[in-house]
Coordinates of all heavy atoms in Angstrom, one line a residue:
M138 N 0.9 -1.2 0.0 CA 0.0 0.0 0.0 C 0.9 1.2 0.0 O 1.8 1.3 0.8 CB -0.9 -0.1 1.3 CG -1.8 1.1 1.3 SD -3.2 1.2 0.2 CE -3.9 -0.3 0.4
Q139 N 0.6 2.1 -0.8 CA 1.4 3.4 -1.0 C 0.7 4.5 -0.1 O -0.5 4.5 -0.1 CB 1.4 3.9 -2.3 CG 2.3 5.1 -2.5 CD 2.5 5.5 -4.1 OE1 2.2 4.7 -4.9 NE2 3.1 6.6 -4.2
L140 N 1.5 5.3 0.6 CA 1.1 6.5 1.3 C 1.2 7.7 0.5 O 2.3 8.0 -0.3 CB 1.8 6.6 2.6 CG 1.8 5.5 3.6 CD1 2.6 5.9 4.8 CD2 0.4 5.3 4.0
I141 N 0.0 8.4 0.5 CA 0.1 9.8 -0.2 C -0.1 10.9 0.9 O -0.9 10.7 1.7 CB -1.2 9.8 -1.2 CG1 -1.0 8.8 -2.3 CG2 -1.2 11.2 -1.9 CD1 -2.2 8.7 -3.3
A142 N 0.8 12.0 0.8 CA 0.8 13.0 1.7 C -0.2 14.0 1.4 O 0.2 14.9 0.6 CB 2.2 13.5 1.9
C143 N -1.3 14.0 2.1 CA -2.3 15.0 1.9 C -1.7 16.4 2.5 O -1.2 16.2 3.6 CB -3.6 14.8 2.6 SG -4.9 16.0 2.6
P144 N -1.8 17.5 1.8 CA -1.3 18.7 2.5 C -1.9 19.1 3.7 O -1.3 19.9 4.5 CB -1.5 19.8 1.3 CG -1.6 19.0 0.1 CD -2.3 17.7 0.6
W145 N -3.2 18.6 4.1 CA -3.9 19.0 5.3 C -3.8 17.9 6.3 O -3.8 18.1 7.5 CB -5.3 19.5 4.8 CG -5.3 20.6 4.1 CD1 -5.3 22.0 4.6 CD2 -5.5 20.9 2.7 NE1 -5.4 22.8 3.6 CE2 -5.5 22.2 2.4 CE3 -5.4 19.8 1.7 CZ2 -5.5 22.6 1.1 CZ3 -5.6 20.4 0.4 CH2 -5.6 21.7 0.1
C146 N -3.9 16.6 5.8 CA -4.1 15.6 6.8 C -2.9 14.7 7.0 O -2.8 13.9 7.9 CB -5.2 14.6 6.3 SG -6.8 15.4 6.0
G147 N -1.9 14.9 6.2 CA -0.7 14.2 6.3 C -0.8 12.9 5.6 O -1.6 12.6 4.8
P148 N 0.3 12.0 5.7 CA 0.2 10.7 4.9 C -0.9 9.7 5.1 O -1.3 9.5 6.3 CB 1.6 10.0 5.3 CG 2.4 11.1 5.9 CD 1.4 12.1 6.6
R149 N -1.6 9.3 4.2 CA -2.8 8.4 4.3 C -2.6 7.4 3.1 O -2.0 7.6 2.2 CB -4.1 9.1 4.1 CG -4.3 10.2 5.1 CD -4.6 9.6 6.5 NE -5.1 10.6 7.4 CZ -4.4 11.4 8.4 NH1 -3.1 11.3 8.2 NH2 -5.0 12.2 9.1
E150 N -3.4 6.2 3.3 CA -3.3 5.3 2.4 C -3.9 5.6 1.0 O -4.9 6.4 0.9 CB -4.1 3.9 2.9 CG -3.4 3.2 4.0 CD -4.1 2.0 4.5 OE1 -5.1 1.6 3.9 OE2 -3.7 1.5 5.5
E151 N -3.4 5.2 -0.1 CA -3.9 5.6 -1.4 C -5.2 5.3 -1.7 O -5.8 6.0 -2.5 CB -2.9 4.9 -2.4 CG -3.2 3.4 -2.5 CD -2.1 2.8 -3.6 OE1 -2.2 3.3 -4.7 OE2 -1.5 1.8 -3.3
T152 N -5.9 4.4 -0.9 CA -7.3 4.1 -1.2 C -8.2 5.3 -0.7 O -9.4 5.2 -1.0 CB -7.7 2.8 -0.4 OG1 -7.4 2.9 0.9 CG2 -7.0 1.6 -1.1
E153 N -7.7 6.1 0.0 CA -8.4 7.3 0.5 C -8.6 8.4 -0.5 O -9.3 9.4 -0.4 CB -7.8 7.8 1.8 CG -8.0 7.0 3.0 CD -7.6 7.6 4.2 OE1 -7.5 8.9 4.3 OE2 -7.3 7.0 5.3
F154 N -7.9 8.3 -1.7 CA -7.7 9.4 -2.7 C -8.4 9.0 -4.0 O -8.5 7.8 -4.3 CB -6.3 9.7 -2.9 CG -5.6 10.3 -1.6 CD1 -5.0 9.3 -0.7 CD2 -5.6 11.5 -1.4 CE1 -4.4 9.8 0.4 CE2 -4.9 12.1 -0.3 CZ -4.4 11.2 0.7
H155 N -8.7 10.1 -4.7 CA -9.3 9.9 -6.0 C -8.5 10.8 -7.0 O -8.3 12.0 -6.7 CB -10.8 10.4 -6.0 CG -11.4 10.2 -7.3 ND1 -11.9 9.1 -7.8 CD2 -11.7 11.2 -8.3 CE1 -12.5 9.2 -9.0 NE2 -12.4 10.5 -9.3
Y156 N -8.1 10.2 -8.2 CA -7.4 10.9 -9.2 C -8.3 11.9 -10.0 O -9.4 11.5 -10.2 CB -6.8 9.9 -10.2 CG -6.1 10.5 -11.4 CD1 -4.8 11.1 -11.2 CD2 -6.6 10.5 -12.6 CE1 -4.1 11.6 -12.3 CE2 -6.0 11.0 -13.7 CZ -4.8 11.6 -13.6 OH -4.0 12.1 -14.6
G157 N -7.8 13.1 -10.2 CA -8.6 14.1 -10.8 C -8.1 14.6 -12.2 O -8.6 15.6 -12.7
G158 N -7.2 14.0 -12.7 CA -6.7 14.4 -14.1 C -5.4 15.3 -13.9 O -4.8 15.5 -12.9
E159 N -5.2 16.0 -15.2 CA -4.0 16.8 -15.3 C -4.3 18.1 -14.5 O -5.3 18.7 -14.5 CB -3.7 17.1 -16.8 CG -2.6 18.0 -17.0 CD -2.4 18.2 -18.6 OE1 -3.1 17.6 -19.3 OE2 -1.4 19.0 -18.8
A160 N -3.3 18.5 -13.8 CA -3.2 19.8 -13.1 C -2.9 21.0 -14.0 O -2.5 20.9 -15.0 CB -2.3 19.8 -11.9
H161 N -3.4 22.2 -13.5 CA -3.0 23.4 -14.2 C -3.7 23.6 -15.5 O -3.0 24.2 -16.4 CB -1.5 23.6 -14.2 CG -0.8 23.4 -12.8 ND1 -1.1 24.3 -11.9 CD2 0.0 22.5 -12.4 CE1 -0.3 24.0 -10.9 NE2 0.3 22.7 -11.1
V162 N -4.8 23.1 -15.8 CA -5.6 23.2 -17.1 C -6.5 24.4 -16.7 O -7.4 24.3 -16.0 CB -6.2 22.0 -17.4 CG1 -7.1 22.2 -18.7 CG2 -5.3 20.8 -17.6
A163 N -6.3 25.5 -17.5 CA -7.2 26.6 -17.3 C -8.5 26.4 -18.0 O -8.6 26.0 -19.1 CB -6.5 27.8 -17.9
Y164 N -9.6 26.9 -17.2 CA -11.0 26.8 -17.8 C -11.1 27.9 -18.8 O -10.5 29.0 -18.6 CB -11.9 27.0 -16.6 CG -13.3 26.8 -17.0 CD1 -13.8 25.5 -17.1 CD2 -14.2 27.8 -17.2 CE1 -15.1 25.2 -17.5 CE2 -15.6 27.6 -17.6 CZ -16.0 26.3 -17.7 OH -17.3 26.1 -18.1
P165 N -11.8 27.6 -20.0 CA -11.9 28.7 -21.0 C -12.5 30.0 -20.5 O -13.5 29.9 -19.7 CB -12.7 28.0 -22.0 CG -12.7 26.6 -21.7 CD -12.4 26.4 -20.3
E166 N -12.0 31.1 -20.9 CA -12.5 32.3 -20.4 C -14.0 32.6 -20.7 O -14.7 33.2 -20.1 CB -11.7 33.5 -20.9 CG -10.4 33.6 -20.2 CD -9.6 34.8 -20.6 OE1 -10.2 35.9 -20.9 OE2 -8.3 34.7 -20.6
D167 N -14.2 32.1 -22.0 CA -15.6 32.3 -22.6 C -16.1 31.0 -23.2 O -16.0 30.8 -24.4 CB -15.7 33.5 -23.6 CG -17.1 33.8 -24.1 OD1 -18.0 33.3 -23.4 OD2 -17.3 34.5 -25.1
P168 N -16.6 30.0 -22.3 CA -16.9 28.8 -22.9 C -18.1 28.7 -23.8 O -18.1 27.9 -24.8 CB -17.3 28.0 -21.7 CG -17.4 28.9 -20.5 CD -16.7 30.1 -20.9
Q169 N -18.9 29.7 -23.7 CA -20.1 29.8 -24.6 C -19.6 30.0 -26.2 O -20.4 29.8 -27.0 CB -21.0 30.9 -24.2 CG -21.6 30.7 -22.8 CD -22.5 29.4 -22.8 OE1 -23.1 29.1 -23.8 NE2 -22.5 28.7 -21.7
S170 N -18.4 30.7 -26.2 CA -17.9 31.0 -27.6 C -17.2 29.9 -28.3 O -16.8 30.0 -29.5 CB -17.1 32.3 -27.5 OG -15.8 32.0 -27.0
L171 N -16.9 28.8 -27.6 CA -16.1 27.7 -28.1 C -16.9 26.8 -29.1 O -18.2 26.7 -28.9 CB -15.6 26.6 -27.1 CG -14.6 27.3 -26.0 CD1 -14.3 26.3 -25.0 CD2 -13.4 28.0 -26.7
T172 N -16.2 26.5 -30.1 CA -16.9 25.4 -31.1 C -17.0 24.2 -30.4 O -16.3 23.9 -29.5 CB -16.1 25.4 -32.4 OG1 -14.8 24.8 -32.1 CG2 -15.8 26.8 -33.1
D173 N -17.8 23.2 -31.0 CA -17.7 21.9 -30.5 C -16.4 21.2 -30.5 O -16.0 20.5 -29.6 CB -18.7 21.0 -31.3 CG -20.1 21.3 -31.1 OD1 -20.5 22.0 -30.1 OD2 -21.0 20.9 -31.8
E174 N -15.5 21.5 -31.4 CA -14.3 20.9 -31.6 C -13.4 21.6 -30.5 O -12.6 20.7 -29.8 CB -13.6 21.2 -32.9 CG -12.3 20.5 -33.1 CD -11.7 20.7 -34.5 OE1 -12.4 20.9 -35.5 OE2 -10.5 20.7 -34.6
E175 N -13.4 22.9 -30.3 CA -12.6 23.4 -29.3 C -13.0 23.0 -27.9 O -12.2 22.7 -26.9 CB -12.7 25.1 -29.3 CG -12.1 25.6 -30.5 CD -12.5 27.0 -30.7 OE1 -13.7 27.5 -30.3 OE2 -11.7 27.7 -31.3
W176 N -14.4 22.8 -27.7 CA -14.8 22.4 -26.3 C -14.4 20.9 -26.1 O -13.9 20.5 -25.0 CB -16.3 22.4 -26.2 CG -16.8 22.2 -24.9 CD1 -17.6 21.0 -24.5 CD2 -16.7 22.9 -23.7 NE1 -17.9 21.0 -23.2 CE2 -17.2 22.2 -22.7 CE3 -16.0 24.0 -23.3 CZ2 -17.3 22.5 -21.3 CZ3 -16.1 24.5 -22.1 CH2 -16.7 23.8 -21.1
A177 N -14.4 20.0 -27.1 CA -14.0 18.7 -27.0 C -12.5 18.6 -26.7 O -12.1 17.8 -25.9 CB -14.3 17.9 -28.3
R178 N -11.6 19.5 -27.3 CA -10.3 19.5 -27.1 C -10.0 19.9 -25.6 O -9.1 19.2 -25.0 CB -9.6 20.6 -28.0 CG -8.1 20.5 -27.8 CD -7.4 21.3 -29.0 NE -7.6 20.6 -30.3 CZ -7.0 19.6 -30.7 NH1 -6.1 18.9 -30.0 NH2 -7.3 19.0 -31.9
Y179 N -10.7 20.9 -25.0 CA -10.6 21.3 -23.6 C -11.0 20.1 -22.8 O -10.2 19.9 -21.8 CB -11.4 22.5 -23.3 CG -11.5 22.8 -21.8 CD1 -10.4 23.2 -21.1 CD2 -12.7 22.4 -21.1 CE1 -10.5 23.4 -19.7 CE2 -12.7 22.5 -19.8 CZ -11.7 22.9 -19.0 OH -11.7 23.1 -17.7
V180 N -12.0 19.4 -23.0 CA -12.5 18.4 -22.1 C -11.7 17.1 -22.2 O -11.4 16.5 -21.2 CB -14.1 18.0 -22.3 CG1 -14.5 16.9 -21.6 CG2 -14.9 19.3 -22.1
F181 N -11.4 16.7 -23.5 CA -10.8 15.4 -23.7 C -9.3 15.2 -23.8 O -8.8 14.2 -23.6 CB -11.5 14.6 -24.7 CG -13.0 14.4 -24.4 CD1 -13.9 15.1 -25.1 CD2 -13.4 13.6 -23.4 CE1 -15.3 15.0 -25.0 CE2 -14.8 13.4 -23.2 CZ -15.7 14.1 -23.9
Y182 N -8.7 16.3 -24.4 CA -7.3 16.1 -24.8 C -6.5 16.6 -23.7 O -6.5 17.7 -23.3 CB -7.0 17.0 -26.0 CG -7.7 16.4 -27.3 CD1 -8.9 16.4 -27.5 CD2 -6.8 16.0 -28.3 CE1 -9.5 15.8 -28.7 CE2 -7.3 15.4 -29.5 CZ -8.7 15.4 -29.7 OH -9.2 14.9 -30.8
R183 N -5.5 15.7 -23.2 CA -4.6 16.0 -22.1 C -3.4 15.4 -22.4 O -3.3 14.4 -23.2 CB -5.2 15.3 -20.7 CG -6.4 16.0 -20.3 CD -6.2 17.4 -19.8 NE -7.4 17.9 -19.2 CZ -8.2 18.9 -19.8 NH1 -7.9 19.3 -21.0 NH2 -9.3 19.4 -19.3
S184 N -2.3 15.8 -21.8 CA -1.0 15.4 -21.9 C -1.0 13.9 -21.2 O -1.7 13.6 -20.3 CB 0.0 16.2 -21.2 OG 0.0 17.5 -21.8
N185 N 0.0 13.1 -21.8 CA 0.1 11.7 -21.3 C 1.6 11.4 -21.3 O 2.0 10.4 -21.9 CB -0.7 10.7 -22.0 CG -0.8 9.3 -21.4 OD1 -0.5 9.3 -20.2 ND2 -1.0 8.4 -22.2
P186 N 2.4 12.3 -20.6 CA 3.9 12.0 -20.6 C 4.4 10.8 -19.9 O 3.7 10.3 -18.9 CB 4.4 13.3 -20.0 CG 3.4 13.7 -19.0 CD 2.1 13.2 -19.6
Q187 N 5.6 10.4 -20.1 CA 6.2 9.3 -19.4 C 7.2 10.1 -18.5 O 8.0 10.8 -19.1 CB 6.9 8.3 -20.3 CG 7.6 7.2 -19.6 CD 8.2 6.2 -20.5 OE1 8.3 6.5 -21.8 NE2 8.7 5.1 -20.1
G188 N 7.1 9.9 -17.2 CA 7.9 10.7 -16.3 C 7.0 11.5 -15.3 O 6.0 11.3 -15.1
L189 N 7.7 12.6 -14.9 CA 7.1 13.5 -13.9 C 5.9 14.2 -14.5 O 6.0 14.7 -15.7 CB 8.0 14.5 -13.4 CG 9.0 14.0 -12.3 CD1 9.8 15.1 -11.8 CD2 8.2 13.4 -11.2
F190 N 4.8 14.2 -13.9 CA 3.5 14.9 -14.4 C 2.8 15.5 -13.2 O 2.7 14.9 -12.2 CB 2.7 13.7 -15.0 CG 1.5 14.1 -15.8 CD1 1.5 15.2 -16.8 CD2 0.3 13.6 -15.5 CE1 0.4 15.5 -17.4 CE2 -0.8 13.9 -16.2 CZ -0.8 14.9 -17.1
A191 N 2.3 16.7 -13.4 CA 1.5 17.4 -12.5 C 0.1 17.0 -12.6 O -0.6 17.0 -13.6 CB 1.6 19.0 -12.7
E192 N -0.6 16.5 -11.5 CA -1.9 15.9 -11.3 C -2.8 16.6 -10.3 O -2.2 16.9 -9.3 CB -1.8 14.3 -11.1 CG -0.9 13.6 -12.2 CD -0.7 12.2 -11.8 OE1 -0.7 11.9 -10.6 OE2 -0.7 11.4 -12.7
R193 N -4.1 16.4 -10.5 CA -4.9 16.8 -9.4 C -5.4 15.5 -8.6 O -5.7 14.5 -9.3 CB -6.2 17.5 -9.9 CG -5.8 18.8 -10.7 CD -7.1 19.6 -11.0 NE -7.6 20.1 -9.7 CZ -9.0 20.3 -9.5 NH1 -9.7 20.1 -10.5 NH2 -9.4 20.6 -8.4
W194 N -5.6 15.6 -7.3 CA -6.0 14.5 -6.5 C -7.0 15.1 -5.4 O -6.9 16.3 -5.0 CB -4.8 13.9 -5.7 CG -4.1 13.0 -6.7 CD1 -3.0 13.4 -7.5 CD2 -4.0 11.6 -6.8 NE1 -2.5 12.4 -8.2 CE2 -3.1 11.2 -7.8 CE3 -4.8 10.6 -6.3 CZ2 -2.9 9.9 -8.2 CZ3 -4.6 9.3 -6.8 CH2 -3.7 9.0 -7.7
C195 N -7.9 14.2 -5.0 CA -8.8 14.6 -3.9 C -8.8 13.7 -2.8 O -8.8 12.4 -3.0 CB -10.3 14.7 -4.4 SG -11.5 15.1 -3.3
H196 N -8.7 14.2 -1.5 CA -8.7 13.2 -0.4 C -10.2 13.0 0.0 O -10.6 13.5 0.8 CB -8.0 14.0 0.8 CG -7.6 13.0 1.8 ND1 -7.1 13.3 3.1 CD2 -7.9 11.6 2.0 CE1 -6.9 12.4 3.9 NE2 -7.4 11.3 3.2
T197 N -10.7 12.0 -0.8 CA -12.3 11.8 -0.7 C -12.6 11.1 0.7 O -13.8 11.2 1.0 CB -12.7 10.9 -1.9 OG1 -11.8 9.7 -2.0 CG2 -12.6 11.6 -3.2
A198 N -11.8 10.3 1.2 CA -12.1 9.6 2.5 C -11.5 10.3 3.7 O -11.6 9.9 4.8 CB -11.6 8.2 2.4
G199 N -11.0 11.6 3.4 CA -10.5 12.4 4.5 C -11.2 13.8 4.6 O -12.3 13.9 4.7
C200 N -10.3 14.7 4.3 CA -10.7 16.2 4.4 C -11.6 16.6 3.1 O -12.1 17.7 3.2 CB -9.5 17.1 4.4 SG -8.4 17.1 3.1
R201 N -11.6 15.7 2.1 CA -12.3 16.1 0.8 C -11.8 17.3 0.1 O -12.5 17.8 -0.7 CB -13.9 16.2 1.1 CG -14.3 14.8 1.8 CD -15.8 15.0 2.1 NE -16.5 15.0 0.9 CZ -17.7 14.4 0.8 NH1 -18.3 14.1 1.7 NH2 -18.3 14.4 -0.5
R202 N -10.6 17.6 0.2 CA -10.0 18.7 -0.5 C -9.2 18.3 -1.6 O -8.7 17.1 -1.6 CB -9.1 19.6 0.5 CG -9.8 20.3 1.7 CD -8.9 21.1 2.3 NE -9.5 21.8 3.5 CZ -9.0 22.5 4.4 NH1 -7.6 22.8 4.2 NH2 -9.6 23.1 5.3
W203 N -9.2 19.1 -2.7 CA -8.4 18.9 -3.8 C -7.0 19.5 -3.7 O -6.8 20.5 -2.9 CB -9.0 19.5 -5.0 CG -10.2 18.9 -5.5 CD1 -11.5 19.1 -5.2 CD2 -10.2 17.8 -6.4 NE1 -12.4 18.1 -5.8 CE2 -11.6 17.4 -6.6 CE3 -9.2 17.1 -7.2 CZ2 -11.9 16.4 -7.4 CZ3 -9.6 16.1 -7.9 CH2 -11.0 15.7 -8.2
F204 N -6.0 18.8 -4.1 CA -4.6 19.3 -4.1 C -3.9 18.8 -5.4 O -4.4 18.0 -6.2 CB -3.8 18.8 -2.8 CG -3.7 17.3 -2.8 CD1 -2.6 16.7 -3.2 CD2 -4.8 16.6 -2.1 CE1 -2.5 15.4 -3.1 CE2 -4.6 15.1 -1.9 CZ -3.5 14.6 -2.5
N205 N -2.7 19.2 -5.6 CA -1.9 18.9 -6.8 C -0.7 18.1 -6.4 O -0.3 18.1 -5.1 CB -1.5 20.1 -7.6 CG -2.5 20.9 -8.1 OD1 -3.6 20.4 -8.5 ND2 -2.3 22.3 -8.2
A206 N -0.3 17.3 -7.2 CA 0.9 16.5 -6.9 C 1.8 16.3 -8.2 O 1.3 16.3 -9.3 CB 0.4 15.1 -6.5
L207 N 3.1 16.1 -8.0 CA 4.1 15.8 -9.1 C 4.3 14.2 -8.8 O 4.8 13.9 -7.8 CB 5.3 16.5 -8.9 CG 5.2 17.9 -9.4 CD1 6.7 18.6 -9.3 CD2 4.9 18.0 -10.9
R208 N 4.0 13.5 -9.8 CA 4.0 12.1 -9.7 C 4.7 11.4 -10.9 O 4.5 12.0 -12.1 CB 2.6 11.4 -9.6 CG 2.7 9.9 -9.4 CD 1.3 9.4 -9.2 NE 0.4 9.5 -10.5 CZ 0.4 8.5 -11.5 NH1 1.3 7.4 -11.3 NH2 -0.3 8.8 -12.5
D209 N 5.7 10.6 -10.8 CA 6.3 10.0 -11.8 C 5.4 8.8 -12.4 O 5.0 7.8 -11.7 CB 7.6 9.2 -11.4 CG 8.5 8.8 -12.5 OD1 7.9 8.2 -13.5 OD2 9.6 9.0 -12.5
T210 N 5.0 8.9 -13.7 CA 3.9 8.1 -14.2 C 4.6 6.6 -14.6 O 3.9 5.7 -14.9 CB 3.3 8.6 -15.5 OG1 4.4 8.8 -16.5 CG2 2.6 9.8 -15.3
T211 N 5.8 6.5 -14.5 CA 6.5 5.2 -14.8 C 6.7 4.4 -13.6 O 6.7 3.1 -13.6 CB 7.8 5.4 -15.5 OG1 8.7 6.2 -14.8 CG2 7.7 5.9 -16.9
T212 N 6.9 5.0 -12.4 CA 7.2 4.4 -11.1 C 6.0 4.6 -10.1 O 6.1 3.9 -9.1 CB 8.5 5.0 -10.4 OG1 8.2 6.3 -10.1 CG2 9.7 4.7 -11.4
Y213 N 5.1 5.4 -10.4 CA 4.0 5.8 -9.6 C 4.4 6.5 -8.3 O 3.6 6.7 -7.5 CB 3.1 4.5 -9.3 CG 1.8 4.8 -8.8 CD1 0.9 5.3 -9.8 CD2 1.4 4.8 -7.4 CE1 -0.5 5.5 -9.3 CE2 0.1 5.2 -7.1 CZ -0.8 5.5 -7.9 OH -2.2 5.7 -7.6
R214 N 5.6 6.9 -8.2 CA 6.2 7.6 -7.0 C 5.7 9.0 -7.0 O 5.9 9.8 -8.0 CB 7.7 7.5 -7.0 CG 8.3 8.1 -5.8 CD 9.8 7.8 -5.7 NE 10.4 8.6 -4.7 CZ 11.1 9.8 -4.9 NH1 11.3 10.1 -6.1 NH2 11.6 10.4 -3.9
F215 N 5.2 9.5 -5.9 CA 4.9 10.9 -5.7 C 6.2 11.6 -5.2 O 6.8 11.2 -4.4 CB 3.9 11.0 -4.5 CG 2.4 10.7 -5.0 CD1 2.1 9.3 -5.2 CD2 1.6 11.7 -5.3 CE1 0.8 9.0 -5.7 CE2 0.3 11.4 -5.9 CZ 0.0 10.1 -6.0
H216 N 6.5 12.7 -6.0 CA 7.7 13.4 -5.7 C 7.4 14.7 -4.8 O 8.2 14.9 -4.0 CB 8.4 13.9 -7.0 CG 9.1 12.7 -7.7 ND1 10.4 12.5 -7.4 CD2 8.6 11.9 -8.6 CE1 10.8 11.4 -8.2 NE2 9.7 11.1 -8.9
S217 N 6.2 15.2 -5.0 CA 5.8 16.2 -4.1 C 4.3 16.4 -4.2 O 3.7 16.2 -5.2 CB 6.5 17.5 -4.3 OG 6.2 18.0 -5.8
V218 N 3.6 17.0 -3.2 CA 2.3 17.4 -3.2 C 2.2 18.9 -2.8 O 3.1 19.4 -2.0 CB 1.4 16.5 -2.3 CG1 1.4 15.2 -2.6 CG2 1.9 16.6 -0.8
Y219 N 1.3 19.5 -3.2 CA 1.1 21.0 -2.9 C -0.3 21.4 -3.1 O -1.1 20.9 -3.9 CB 2.0 21.9 -3.7 CG 1.9 21.7 -5.3 CD1 1.2 22.6 -6.1 CD2 2.4 20.5 -5.9 CE1 1.1 22.4 -7.5 CE2 2.3 20.4 -7.3 CZ 1.6 21.3 -8.0 OH 1.5 21.1 -9.4
R220 N -0.8 22.3 -2.4 CA -2.1 22.9 -2.4 C -2.4 23.5 -3.7 O -1.6 24.0 -4.4 CB -2.4 23.8 -1.3 CG -2.3 23.2 0.1 CD -2.7 24.1 1.2 NE -2.6 25.6 0.9 CZ -1.8 26.4 1.7 NH1 -1.1 26.0 2.7 NH2 -1.6 27.7 1.4
S221 N -3.7 23.6 -4.0 CA -4.1 24.1 -5.3 C -3.7 25.6 -5.5 O -3.5 26.1 -6.6 CB -5.5 23.9 -5.7 OG -5.8 22.5 -5.7
D222 N -3.6 26.4 -4.4 CA -3.3 27.8 -4.4 C -1.8 28.0 -4.3 O -1.4 29.2 -4.4 CB -4.1 28.5 -3.3 CG -3.6 28.1 -2.1 OD1 -3.0 27.0 -1.8 OD2 -3.9 28.7 -1.0
E223 N -1.0 27.0 -4.5 CA 0.4 27.2 -4.4 C 1.0 26.9 -5.8 O 0.4 26.3 -6.6 CB 1.1 26.2 -3.5 CG 0.7 26.3 -2.1 CD 1.3 25.2 -1.1 OE1 1.5 24.1 -1.5 OE2 1.4 25.6 0.1
Q224 N 2.3 27.5 -6.0 CA 2.9 27.4 -7.3 C 3.3 25.9 -7.4 O 3.7 25.2 -6.5 CB 4.1 28.4 -7.3 CG 3.7 29.8 -7.4 CD 3.1 30.1 -8.9 OE1 3.5 29.5 -9.8 NE2 2.1 31.0 -8.9
K225 N 3.4 25.6 -8.7 CA 4.0 24.2 -9.1 C 5.5 24.2 -8.8 O 6.1 25.1 -9.2 CB 3.6 23.8 -10.6 CG 4.2 22.6 -11.1 CD 3.8 22.5 -12.6 CE 4.7 21.8 -13.3 NZ 4.2 21.6 -14.7
P226 N 6.0 23.2 -8.1 CA 7.4 23.0 -7.8 C 8.1 22.9 -9.1 O 7.7 22.3 -10.1 CB 7.6 21.8 -6.9 CG 6.1 21.5 -6.4 CD 5.2 22.1 -7.4
A227 N 9.3 23.2 -9.1 CA 10.3 23.0 -10.3 C 10.4 21.5 -10.5 O 10.6 20.8 -9.5 CB 11.5 23.7 -10.1
I228 N 10.3 21.2 -11.7 CA 10.5 19.6 -12.0 C 12.1 19.5 -12.2 O 12.8 20.1 -12.9 CB 9.8 19.3 -13.3 CG1 8.4 19.4 -13.1 CG2 10.2 17.9 -13.8 CD1 7.5 19.1 -14.3
P229 N 12.6 18.5 -11.4 CA 14.0 18.3 -11.4 C 14.6 17.7 -12.8 O 13.8 17.2 -13.5 CB 14.3 17.3 -10.3 CG 13.0 16.8 -10.0 CD 11.9 17.6 -10.4

């Protein structure tokens, strides 16, 4: 069992968390003006890199807050976690 460090609750078992997709994806300023293709690109097209990746996570079985994490997609290792209102750490 892997431990994930919630920024508010501390380390907890991974089963308490829910993956929320790529972090730092800006919501469109005027979604009503988007074409169907532009809206589909916003909703469905995301990066899928091998290596470190910024993701959103929710501590669903704990404080129920969202936070961001830098996780290595090849090893599943979490390198850092940070609150949504904090800057993304530099990727080594």
